[in-house]
Amino acid sequence: MGIGDAQVTTPTAEDLETVAKQLGRAPRGTREIAARCPSGHPSVVQTAPRLPDGTPFPTLYYLTCPKLNSLVSTLEGTGRMKEMEARLAEDEELSAAYQRAHESYLAERDAIESLGTQVTAGGMPTRVKCLHVHVAHALAKGPGVNPFGDEALEMLRDSWPSGDCA
């Protein structure tokens, strides 16, 4: 299994236990395992639009792999998000692709449960606020859906995946 090879599955008790270890807390509102690490562990979960206590949670895809989370955090620390966001104003094709990613994310979340908001996650469609969200979205949906998630995964290709992350 390589980067972007999503295998959506219903989470097992073992998956939820692994995700709890990855996050350092019990997962909340997990609907599906949206992608797995090459080791077979969950790397992305799909979360319900509302948590069990009723709190709105607009982040549909949540990155759980600790190794990948660390790598994405390092990438964020290099200033890449500012560069990506600046390109939105200059590149109409990129801006249109990012808008489509936002619309797809919103439609998918609203098909589960509408939160009555156009807010998706990660700053879409006008900002680049959180690469973790974009990487999770790209892993869950595969290449060609989220341009910044695809780009970040390409930057990390040589660092992840390897070994057992959980």
Side-chain angles (χ1 to χ4, degrees):
M1 195 178 312
I3 292 176
D5 293 339
Q7 285 193 338
V8 176
T9 58
T10 300
T12 64
E14 183 179 348
D15 287 334
L16 294 175
E17 184 178 314
T18 298
V19 171
K21 288 178 185 175
Q22 291 173 323
L23 298 175
R25 61 169 174 77
R28 301 173 300 160
T30 302
R31 290 178 35 98
E32 297 177 338
I33 304 302
R36 293 182 180 274
C37 294
S39 61
H41 292 103
S43 60
V44 176
V45 294
Q46 184 192 75
T47 303
R50 287 191 192 277
L51 297 177
D53 68 1
T55 303
F57 194 75
T59 303
L60 184 61
Y61 293 109
Y62 199 87
L63 192 61
T64 63
C65 173
K67 183 171 186 178
L68 188 53
N69 263 314
S70 177
L71 291 168
V72 173
S73 292
T74 300
L75 190 59
E76 284 184 343
T78 67
R80 292 289 181 159
M81 293 183 305
K82 285 184 181 181
E83 294 171 15
M84 290 171 166
E85 191 170 311
R87 287 179 18 232
L88 285 173
E90 302 165 0
D91 186 334
E92 288 182 23
E93 189 174 313
L94 176 62
S95 182
Y98 198 49
Q99 177 68 35
R100 286 189 301 274
H102 164 73
E103 291 167 359
S104 169
Y105 198 100
L106 184 61
E108 186 174 1
R109 189 188 70 212
D110 283 355
I112 298 166
E113 180 181 358
S114 176
L115 295 178
T117 180
Q118 295 294 303
V119 173
T120 51
M124 290 188 277
T126 59
R127 298 175 49 219
V128 182
K129 199 169 114 180
C130 177
L131 285 182
H132 295 81
V133 166
H134 298 298
V135 166
H137 189 208
L139 285 170
K141 302 313 289 179
V145 175
N146 187 312
F148 291 127
D150 290 348
E151 191 174 311
L153 282 169
E154 186 56 38
M155 289 180 214
L156 300 173
R157 184 172 294 282
D158 293 337
S159 301
W160 183 88
S162 63
D164 191 350
C165 67

